[in-house]
Amino acid sequence: MYKPFVKHLENELFNRFNLQNRAIPAGLELKVSDRGRNPATIQSWCYQCPQLRKIRYTYIDAGESAQIFNSVIYPNHHYDLPLLGVDFLSFGKIKNLVVLDFQPLFQDDAYQRKYIEPLKFLHAKYPDLAQNLEMKFYDANQYFSKYLLFAKTDAETVATRLLAAFNDYLNLYWQMLDEAEPLQDPEDIARIVKAQKDYDQYSAERDPASGLFSSYFGHEWAERFLYGFLFEDAVPLAATAKK
Ligand code: BLA
């Protein structure tokens, strides 16, 4: 269901950037489970280029039971740009949840004006995908923008509206990256390193997918996937506390 979106992202990335493979720890790049009603495959890809230090995307294909496309793009630490976050999920064709955002590293006014206000007109262009839903797992005021696309929708809207929205958000992101001035001051850069790391820690701890990974692939694999790949700069707190 979301495979055309993966293809679109790949085409954009390969056309625009000089990508290099970025290693995925052994055993995490592909996994097949036959625990559920339909066999589930989870596959991930990871790249880097001078402007973007980590580009990762994952596809879960469990046939009719689940189709999920998840991606995060982390800019190089010399840029204070938001992260690009994508989470498109369908369960049993009925429950479709789409989230697309420029995930802000900071919430101050100057940052919002620079990186979030430009999203306003895109957000307004896709009212059917911007439903102002309440968040249950995450805090909407941390690492999310007020102009995120966030919708519970139908397969028809996914098929007819989402690709245009995805393309518009991506294009604006590439434009911002193009126009960004690299930070020079080591203190400014250290602040970005910390903010991106805090994002990983927060996301690893809140990720609503953790249970889903465990149920398909087992708890141990799920923890490795979360802390060893998806949010590799996060430290598993429970594990360190136990030692
Ligand atoms: C929700 N994301 C979810 C849910 C799952 C995932 C299972 C809960 C759906 C439900 O309501 O039942 C799945 N999350 C994943 C998967 C991965 C993951 C498969 O990290 C990794 C492969 N989530 C993101 C990113 C964004 C994001 C980058 O990973 C930003 C665009 C957003 N996901 C997001 C939001 C929700 C969600 C806002 C709703 C959570 C809430 O209500 O608080």
Side-chain angles (χ1 to χ4, degrees):
M1 180 152 178
Y2 297 110
K3 287 185 182 163
F5 295 83
V6 177
K7 200 80 234 140
H8 184 70
L9 177 64
E10 265 171 2
N11 285 343
E12 285 284 309
L13 289 169
F14 279 90
N15 286 333
R16 286 173 191 271
F17 302 101
N18 186 11
L19 299 186
Q20 278 186 308
N21 276 319
R22 190 176 186 279
I24 299 177
L28 298 182
E29 67 272 62
L30 177 68
K31 182 91 178 157
V32 182
S33 156
D34 25 57
R35 289 185 183 186
R37 183 175 306 171
N38 296 305
T41 303
I42 184 166
Q43 187 168 6
S44 298
W45 297 263
C46 199
Y47 301 97
Q48 60 188 2
C49 62
Q51 304 91 321
L52 304 167
R53 70 172 186 89
K54 180 178 182 184
I55 301 162
R56 65 153 171 88
Y57 49 96
T58 295
Y59 202 91
I60 299 177
D61 184 348
E64 299 260 304
S65 309
Q67 294 281 318
I68 304 178
F69 169 41
N70 178 279
S71 176
V72 180
I73 295 182
Y74 296 76
N76 181 299
H77 289 137
H78 288 72
Y79 297 113
D80 64 353
L81 237 68
L83 311 186
L84 185 82
V86 182
D87 205 8
F88 296 165
L89 312 103
S90 291
F91 298 100
K93 285 204 173 152
I94 319 155
K95 181 174 172 185
N96 307 289
L97 182 77
V98 298
V99 196
L100 173 60
D101 200 13
F102 287 19
Q103 299 198 263
L105 293 175
F106 308 104
Q107 293 288 347
D108 59 275
D109 290 347
Y111 191 90
Q112 297 293 314
R113 265 197 306 280
K114 187 167 176 190
Y115 292 124
I116 304 305
E117 281 306 317
L119 275 177
K120 187 175 181 175
F121 85 103
L122 286 185
H123 183 261
K125 195 173 159 186
Y126 298 100
D128 44 350
L129 298 172
Q131 298 174 343
N132 265 319
L133 305 172
E134 212 172 302
M135 291 190 190
K136 290 175 287 203
F137 297 90
Y138 298 107
D139 173 358
N141 298 311
Q142 229 185 326
Y143 308 119
F144 287 100
S145 82
K146 62 178 168 185
Y147 299 126
L148 84 166
L149 296 184
F150 184 14
K152 283 194 176 133
T153 185
D154 48 58
E156 165 82 15
T157 306
V158 167
T160 57
R161 296 281 288 154
L162 191 58
L163 196 58
F166 187 48
N167 188 45
D168 276 352
Y169 271 65
L170 277 182
N171 274 322
L172 183 60
Y173 194 75
W174 307 144
Q175 189 189 328
M176 270 188 189
L177 183 64
D178 231 18
E179 290 166 2
E181 288 285 335
L183 301 168
Q184 301 296 342
D185 186 336
E187 269 184 38
D188 290 338
I189 295 163
R191 187 168 164 260
I192 306 308
V193 172
K194 178 164 189 309
Q196 289 194 4
K197 195 173 172 164
D198 290 348
Y199 168 90
D200 268 17
Q201 191 68 41
Y202 176 87
S203 304
E205 285 168 16
R206 302 280 181 116
D207 201 327
S210 155
L212 181 142
F213 297 145
S214 293
S215 67
Y216 280 134
F217 309 107
H219 179 70
E220 203 179 314
W221 190 90
E223 288 290 293
R224 272 194 70 219
F225 189 61
L226 274 171
Y227 289 93
F229 174 58
L230 290 182
F231 307 109
E232 68 195 65
D233 293 329
V235 182
L237 291 177
T240 46
K242 266 187 237 152
K243 276 182 193 161

